[in-house]
Amino acid sequence: MTNFMFISALVGKLSPTDYVGFTFFVGCMAMMAASAFFFLSLSQFDRKWRTSVLVSGLITFIAAVHYFYMRDYWASFGESPTFFRYVDWVLTVPLMCLEFYLILKVAGAKQSLLWKMIIYSIVMLVTGYFGEVVFTDSAALWGFISGLAYFAIVYEIWLGEASKLAASAGGEIQKAHKILCWFVLVGWSIYPLGYMMGTTGWYNGFIPAGNIDVVYNIADAINKIGFGLVIYSLAVKYQKD
């Protein structure tokens, strides 16, 4: 009861015009609902696809928990919860890379592909955190390194080994892979933009500074839930075969 009252008090602090806080709250609820959906659907799939759907649920569940804390942080301090956001990303982004490996295992994907993608994602996030929080005076340099890691992921899934494996698998695997590739290319592109808006560098001349937590929150929900729905749809199609 005490916890409920505490949560209610925090909710009461949100202004009706606080659209950032609103998107934190909605993002938390949306991803929690997606987690419940993915977890409760596990029993309908065989072991081959159960892991992929489970990972989808873990991605949205981890994000939902972090969004609960991020919303409270925003309500209490009115500041962007950068630390919590990067903790969320460093856990969920490698899991999203894992999804590529899991659906491509049928085409012979090796663990070397998985580790390559995970390393790229961790480098992207750690260097981004360094530039945005730790070494802010050299944010442009750290952002450049983070950007290189991001484009390494893009290259791998669009033109590299992952792309070739998807082509050899064909059918629904290739279609799902291509949709996930578009999520990474278009959906993830908002994050470098947000980085440049929140740091100081040569890009400030044409990219204005500002708070884009609303865009981050919407992008997170679309990317993470969208990833999961693609995996779920793929599993359903193969379950019917």
Side-chain angles (χ1 to χ4, degrees), residues 12-72:
K13 292 181 181 179
L14 290 177
S15 166
T17 58
D18 185 356
Y19 302 113
V20 177
F22 176 77
T23 55
F24 275 125
F25 188 83
V26 172
C28 177
M29 293 299 101
M31 286 187 277
M32 185 61 73
S35 299
F37 173 76
F38 294 135
F39 289 149
L40 292 173
S41 68
L42 284 175
S43 60
Q44 68 180 289
F45 303 114
D46 58 32
R47 185 175 298 179
K48 179 181 178 181
W49 293 106
R50 196 174 297 168
T51 302
S52 297
V53 178
L54 173 63
V55 170
S56 297
L58 289 174
I59 290 170
T60 51
F61 178 75
I62 291 170
V65 172
H66 282 99
Y67 264 73
F68 178 82
Y69 284 102
M70 285 193 282
R71 191 204 64 81
D72 286 353

Side-chain angles (χ1 to χ4, degrees), residues 187-237:
W188 290 18
S189 65
I190 190 65
Y191 303 116
L193 176 62
Y195 178 90
M196 289 186 283
M197 290 182 69
T199 59
T200 302
W202 56 269
Y203 36 78
N204 294 140
F206 57 91
I207 297 180
N211 186 310
I212 65 163
D213 277 301
V214 170
V215 180
Y216 269 162
N217 296 347
I218 295 173
D220 267 355
I222 292 174
N223 286 325
K224 289 166 182 172
I225 297 174
F227 247 68
L229 290 176
V230 172
I231 299 298
Y232 174 84
S233 298
L234 177 64
V236 167
K237 290 175 183 176

Side-chain angles (χ1 to χ4, degrees), residues 5-232:
M5 293 175 63
F6 176 70
I7 294 172
S8 298
L10 285 174
V11 172
K13 292 181 181 179
L14 290 177
S15 166
T17 58
D18 185 356
Y19 302 113
V20 177
F22 176 77
T23 55
F24 275 125
F25 188 83
V26 172
C28 177
M29 293 299 101
M31 286 187 277
M32 185 61 73
S35 299
F37 173 76
F38 294 135
F39 289 149
L40 292 173
S41 68
L42 284 175
S43 60
Q44 68 180 289
F45 303 114
D46 58 32
R47 185 175 298 179
K48 179 181 178 181
W49 293 106
R50 196 174 297 168
T51 302
S52 297
V53 178
L54 173 63
V55 170
S56 297
L58 289 174
I59 290 170
T60 51
F61 178 75
I62 291 170
V65 172
H66 282 99
Y67 264 73
F68 178 82
Y69 284 102
M70 285 193 282
R71 191 204 64 81
D72 286 353
Y73 185 92
W74 173 265
S76 300
F77 303 105
E79 298 176 356
S80 181
T82 305
F83 173 78
F84 287 111
R85 197 178 289 283
Y86 272 93
V87 172
D88 171 54
W89 287 343
V90 85
L91 293 173
T92 57
V93 173
L95 287 175
M96 294 169 84
C97 291
L98 172 61
E99 294 284 37
F100 282 98
Y101 168 74
L102 291 175
I103 68 171
L104 294 176
K105 282 181 68 176
V106 297
K110 299 179 180 178
Q111 287 191 2
S112 58
L113 171 64
L114 169 62
W115 288 113
K116 189 190 306 182
M117 296 274 287
I118 289 178
I119 289 171
Y120 288 156
S121 66
I122 292 176
V123 170
M124 176 181 69
L125 295 167
V126 170
T127 54
Y129 182 79
F130 282 168
E132 194 165 353
V133 179
V134 183
F135 306 112
T136 54
D137 292 339
S138 54
L141 174 61
W142 289 106
F144 175 74
I145 299 172
S146 179
L148 287 179
Y150 165 68
F151 283 113
I153 294 174
V154 171
Y155 174 83
E156 187 63 48
I157 60 178
W158 279 95
L159 301 170
E161 181 183 353
S163 175
K164 296 173 183 176
L165 287 168
S168 65
E172 297 298 332
I173 297 289
Q174 187 176 22
K175 291 179 182 178
H177 174 84
K178 183 59 67 71
I179 296 173
L180 295 181
C181 286
W182 279 111
F183 269 110
V184 174
L185 181 63
V186 179
W188 290 18
S189 65
I190 190 65
Y191 303 116
L193 176 62
Y195 178 90
M196 289 186 283
M197 290 182 69
T199 59
T200 302
W202 56 269
Y203 36 78
N204 294 140
F206 57 91
I207 297 180
N211 186 310
I212 65 163
D213 277 301
V214 170
V215 180
Y216 269 162
N217 296 347
I218 295 173
D220 267 355
I222 292 174
N223 286 325
K224 289 166 182 172
I225 297 174
F227 247 68
L229 290 176
V230 172
I231 299 298
Y232 174 84

